[in-house]
Amino acid sequence: MDTLAAEGQRLPRSHDSLAFGIPRSAPGAIYALSIGGGITVGPSEGRTVVFGRNKPEVHVCIGEDDRRVSRQHGLLTHRGGQWWVSNTGKLPIRLPGSQWLFAAEESLPLAEGYTPLFVPGTRGREHLLELFVAGSDGRRPVTKHDAHTEPPKTWRLLEDERLALVLLGQRYLLHESDPQPLTRQQVAEQLMELRPDAGWTHRKVEHLLKDVRERLSRAGVRGLTREEVGEPVGNKLTDNLVRELVLSTTLVPPDLRLLDQVDQAPQD
């Protein structure tokens, strides 16, 4: 590790959080920092930074007193003009947006600027690895105070899909604490009240959700396949689907008006 480390510069454990930014650096340089210190290296094809628990054998030591962190838990590799993070450990790595990177998965590209990574440990501990990739001018990405706000990417839904998904995710749209999706059977029953001639069943609801998940997954949304979330799946696929639709503003609270007919339906 000493040879590879010599290609960069060590960061002391007293170094400020990378969330505060970095000094002027070579464009594409990466900074990696944990509670025990870190390293910064310039971009070079094939260059690799190793992080994990085994301090003598890694460039950045993380979770050195926690045996749930692997001795070599991950790699930061520069290829094709970009830095990539891969998982070589036993446990997944959590990225922003509740995205998880597992050992068997393809590496993920790192955007310019600040990215925190979290490695789960014992008794609920999480070990932080801060990353910062210098922008094309060697600094943090430029501020854009006056730039027009980019709208979120919303997803096109068919009429039946929107109605079923609003029913499924109504607790999220109501901003309940720790919301959970309705069951397929509950959605089917409410759909039958709204559209009694459509022949809704829990299986038809499941097929509809599967179609939407697959469509969004093909478009690049992560966490919508069994392979990505791992076993046991539970409600995770449905929860991830609803959260994506809400965060992208594809579904918004005013959509709850679609349920007024359900609320006003006569009761037996």
Side-chain angles (χ1 to χ4, degrees):
M1 286 301 149
D2 290 339
T3 301
L4 288 177
E7 298 175 350
Q9 178 182 345
R10 291 288 182 184
L11 303 176
R13 62 188 308 142
S14 59
H15 195 282
D16 285 339
S17 168
L18 299 182
F20 296 122
I22 59 173
R24 181 178 291 277
S25 307
I30 192 169
Y31 286 67
L33 181 69
S34 72
I35 192 172
I39 193 172
T40 176
V41 297
S44 179
E45 185 68 22
R47 180 165 289 171
T48 298
V49 174
V50 184
F51 61 91
R53 173 169 50 89
N54 191 2
K55 188 171 184 177
E57 298 296 329
V58 298
H59 297 112
V60 183
C61 183
I62 177 172
E64 61 182 322
D65 63 344
D66 192 332
R67 291 181 59 189
R68 295 201 70 190
V69 178
S70 294
R71 286 169 289 185
Q72 178 182 299
H73 207 100
L75 306 174
L76 307 171
T77 306
H78 192 270
R79 66 174 187 273
Q82 193 168 18
W83 286 98
W84 300 74
V85 58
S86 56
N87 186 343
T88 59
K90 300 288 188 184
L91 293 178
I93 299 170
R94 183 166 63 85
L95 289 83
S98 298
Q99 182 176 8
W100 291 92
L101 176 62
F102 292 82
E105 294 183 323
E106 295 291 331
S107 55
L108 295 176
L110 292 170
E112 292 183 359
Y114 179 75
T115 301
L117 305 182
F118 298 89
V119 177
T122 56
R123 296 184 297 278
R125 295 175 67 188
E126 285 197 315
H127 303 280
L128 170 64
L129 177 64
E130 295 185 281
L131 305 176
F132 201 111
V133 178
S136 57
D137 63 350
R139 290 186 179 272
R140 71 182 74 181
V142 298
T143 59
K144 301 177 181 178
H145 299 149
D146 298 326
H148 292 293
T149 302
E150 293 184 5
K153 177 178 175 58
T154 57
W155 303 101
R156 180 178 175 273
L157 297 175
L158 301 177
E159 181 181 353
D160 281 350
E161 291 174 342
R162 180 173 297 277
L163 180 58
L165 287 161
V166 170
L167 285 166
L168 180 80
Q170 57 190 274
R171 293 167 179 162
Y172 300 75
L173 297 173
L174 290 167
H175 300 291
E176 293 185 5
S177 60
D178 193 25
Q180 294 295 316
L182 268 62
T183 67
R184 276 52 164 175
Q185 186 62 39
Q186 289 173 318
V187 173
E189 290 172 357
Q190 293 193 24
L191 282 169
M192 282 299 292
E193 294 182 24
L194 282 171
R195 306 281 171 82
D197 298 328
W200 285 102
T201 65
H202 75 282
R203 292 189 181 278
K204 187 173 180 179
V205 172
E206 177 57 44
H207 288 314
L208 180 148
L209 298 180
K210 183 174 182 288
D211 288 344
V212 177
R213 286 199 313 268
E214 290 179 349
R215 193 163 72 235
L216 269 59
S217 180
R218 289 194 299 269
V221 179
R222 297 184 60 82
L224 300 182
T225 67
R226 301 181 73 91
E227 293 75 17
E228 290 171 336
V229 303
E231 299 290 347
V233 174
N235 274 343
K236 196 61 179 175
L237 294 177
T238 307
D239 179 69
N240 288 346
L241 173 62
V242 175
R243 291 184 185 277
E244 168 61 27
L245 294 173
V246 171
L247 290 173
S248 66
T249 68
T250 300
L251 298 182
V252 293
D255 286 330
L256 290 167
R257 295 169 186 163
L258 297 172
L259 312 188
D260 287 346
Q261 293 174 319
V262 175
D263 295 337
Q264 297 170 7
Q267 301 296 316
D268 293 333

